[in-house]
Amino acid sequence: MPPTVFIVDDDPSVRKSLERLLRASGFTTQAFASAEDFLACRPCQNPKEPACLVLDVRMPGISGINLQQKLAKTGIILPVVFITGHGDIPMSVQAMKDGAIDFLPKPFAEKELLAAVEQALTKAARLQEETAEKAEIHRRVNTLTPREYEVFRWVITGMLNKEIAAELRVTEKTIKVHRARVMQKMAAASLADLVRLAEKIGIASEKRSSSGN
Amino acid sequence: MPPTVFIVDDDPSVRKSLERLLRASGFTTQAFASAEDFLACRPCQNPKEPACLVLDVRMPGISGINLQQKLAKTGIILPVVFITGHGDIPMSVQAMKDGAIDFLPKPFAEKELLAAVEQALTKAARLQEETAEKAEIHRRVNTLTPREYEVFRWVITGMLNKEIAAELRVTEKTIKVHRARVMQKMAAASLADLVRLAEKIGIASEKRSSSGN
DNA sequence: TTGTAAATTGGACCTTAGTCCAATATCTTC
DNA sequence: GAAGATATTGGACTAAGGTCCAATTTACAA
């Protein structure tokens, strides 16, 4: 199944020609007449395969810019390529600030659109991969008990078991047990791996309490 | 010393009013009539303090867009705020793709420019900090001997000393010595720290050779 | 040729980490 | 009230990492 390009444009003729062009280039397409219509399509917003969105800036109801912002806010991975007939500079700047791949005023060369779509799909693939990786790590973290999680955050600071034990006011033995479980649950073969897992999801490591806490 | 805002615009009256506005807002300013003039100012391109650039897009000689690209290519940290009297959408899109903070068509509200400059300076500060940190790590890496560097890359994979020793066809004892030196030279208090240092500068860790290699 | 940096190894020893056993105390929940 | 999860600890080992000592070999530069 080729990657999907969603199209949202209120002009039927534009939708038609975009679909023709993109399908001819080997993409799967799905077109909508408005942002509302697109938002009504639930599965469209959680594509398993990399996908992207070719979006008209100016539409009745929810604007393209607005739709882009909504999607970004909900963490949906759908890089956007804007097209527009009557755009202006502030609009294009806002779109780019919000992470748009490109912003093409009509008329544009087919080549330009295709290049932008390719780039958008590449980015979608990368983001999906990264997101999936993080989700998997979070899944593992969620299997940790509160205490294990606490020990986890201490371990990745590089502190010795005995130091962590003193910090948590338990014996070193206890830390060893928790630590072993953390390694197992996080599927980390080594401390180096564990540290990298923590870095990937941006876990704030504990800070050594001074003196008697 | 307040942060510096460099101004490059071929129109003397624009330079003058920009300088007035920015100085009144508490910034140090330094204005140039052309990209060439700015490039001739060596110290301007390696500011110790965070600085940014307010840049006219369209100028005789090297254009603003072009200047931005040149600076980026040489790794100079100078976030750009574009201003323009006769810009178009493709121009603004290109500028944003190249990392511009904002792109303001004239006439713009003073508030807009100031907000963009603030943001540019914030970004400059962050980039300078990150760059400095990386530079310091690289400095340490460069004090490693070739063999130490090699061991370094193996250590951060999480492999045991004996495994690394087998990989490099030396005794475990040798690895221990190199490893200790690596920790010392890299100023890492623990393996966790060492891994994080490596991650920060994106060091590719070694890959275990299969079988007899 | 001599000095220096780099790479290698050994011995002796101590400190840490990890593992397999088992046991106890709480607390929540069905 | 009993089952199950969580947190804690102990004993007894094994193995892995780190340290302080010293020594040899090689290669390159002064």
Side-chain angles (χ1 to χ4, degrees), chain B residues 1-8 15-32 38 41 43-44 47-54 78-79 113-114 117-118 120-121:
Chain B
M1 177 104 144
T4 300
V5 179
F6 296 108
I7 298 164
V8 181
R15 287 204 300 276
K16 197 163 182 179
S17 70
L18 282 176
E19 286 206 89
R20 185 151 24 88
L21 168 62
L22 290 166
R23 286 192 173 164
S25 303
F27 300 109
T28 303
T29 64
Q30 201 167 340
F32 299 85
F38 177 75
C41 169
C44 299
K48 285 177 202 106
E49 300 298 312
C52 74
L53 188 53
V54 173
L78 270 184
L113 180 73
L114 291 176
V117 165
E118 293 282 6
L121 289 171

Side-chain angles (χ1 to χ4, degrees), chain B residues 140-146 148-149 152 181-182 185-186:
Chain B
R140 292 181 199 163
V141 168
N142 286 333
T143 69
L144 298 179
T145 67
E148 282 163 2
Y149 182 67
F152 174 38
R181 289 233 169 82
V182 168
K185 288 184 176 179
M186 293 303 295

Side-chain angles (χ1 to χ4, degrees), chain A residues 145-147 170-171 173-174 177-178:
Chain A
T145 68
R147 198 54 157 174
V170 293
T171 60
K173 179 70 215 195
T174 306
V177 172
H178 287 317

Side-chain angles (χ1 to χ4, degrees), chain A residues 16-71:
Chain A
K16 196 161 182 180
S17 71
L18 281 177
E19 286 207 89
R20 187 150 23 88
L21 168 62
L22 290 166
R23 287 192 172 162
S25 303
F27 300 109
T28 303
T29 64
Q30 200 167 342
F32 300 86
S34 71
E36 287 82 350
D37 283 358
F38 177 74
L39 287 170
C41 169
R42 281 292 158 207
C44 299
Q45 292 162 56
N46 251 327
K48 285 177 204 104
E49 299 299 312
C52 73
L53 187 53
V54 174
L55 190 51
D56 191 1
V57 179
R58 172 161 288 162
M59 292 182 294
I62 299 176
S63 75
I65 300 278
N66 209 310
L67 176 58
Q68 179 192 29
Q69 291 170 339
K70 273 189 200 300
L71 294 178

Side-chain angles (χ1 to χ4, degrees), chain B:
Chain B
M1 177 104 144
T4 300
V5 179
F6 296 108
I7 298 164
V8 181
D9 195 310
D10 60 316
D11 183 336
S13 70
V14 172
R15 287 204 300 276
K16 197 163 182 179
S17 70
L18 282 176
E19 286 206 89
R20 185 151 24 88
L21 168 62
L22 290 166
R23 286 192 173 164
S25 303
F27 300 109
T28 303
T29 64
Q30 201 167 340
F32 299 85
S34 70
E36 286 83 350
D37 282 0
F38 177 75
L39 287 171
C41 169
R42 280 291 157 207
C44 299
Q45 293 163 54
N46 251 326
K48 285 177 202 106
E49 300 298 312
C52 74
L53 188 53
V54 173
L55 190 51
D56 190 4
V57 179
R58 171 160 290 161
M59 292 181 296
I62 299 176
S63 75
I65 301 277
N66 209 309
L67 175 58
Q68 180 192 29
Q69 291 171 337
K70 273 188 201 302
L71 294 178
K73 217 176 294 177
T74 48
I76 291 171
I77 301 175
L78 270 184
V80 174
V81 175
F82 279 104
I83 56 176
T84 181
H86 305 281
D88 54 30
I89 290 182
M91 204 177 269
S92 70
V93 169
Q94 186 58 50
M96 297 305 287
K97 282 185 186 173
D98 289 338
I101 297 296
D102 214 334
F103 189 102
L104 305 171
K106 292 175 200 169
F108 49 80
E110 295 189 344
K111 208 175 154 186
E112 282 187 300
L113 180 73
L114 291 176
V117 165
E118 293 282 6
Q119 208 187 319
L121 289 171
T122 301
K123 184 172 183 182
R126 187 172 52 73
L127 287 180
Q128 279 194 0
E129 212 169 319
E130 287 172 7
T131 304
E133 194 181 2
K134 282 187 191 175
E136 167 60 16
I137 298 173
H138 278 297
R139 192 192 62 69
R140 292 181 199 163
V141 168
N142 286 333
T143 69
L144 298 179
T145 67
R147 196 57 156 174
E148 282 163 2
Y149 182 67
E150 203 176 1
V151 171
F152 174 38
R153 277 151 67 207
W154 282 107
V155 166
I156 58 177
T157 65
M159 273 171 74
L160 301 181
N161 285 342
K162 64 157 60 170
E163 293 175 314
I164 301 173
E167 195 66 45
L168 300 183
R169 314 238 179 276
V170 293
T171 61
E172 185 184 348
K173 178 70 214 195
T174 306
I175 301 302
K176 283 190 178 183
V177 172
H178 286 318
R179 184 172 185 150
R181 289 233 169 82
V182 168
M183 295 296 286
Q184 195 202 336
K185 288 184 176 179
M186 293 303 295
S190 64
L191 176 60
D193 283 350
L194 194 70
V195 170
R196 270 185 286 264
L197 289 173
E199 290 286 303
K200 272 176 193 156
I201 59 173
I203 283 200
S205 49
E206 286 286 354
K207 278 180 194 133
R208 188 184 226 122
S209 70
S210 52
S211 70
N213 176 244

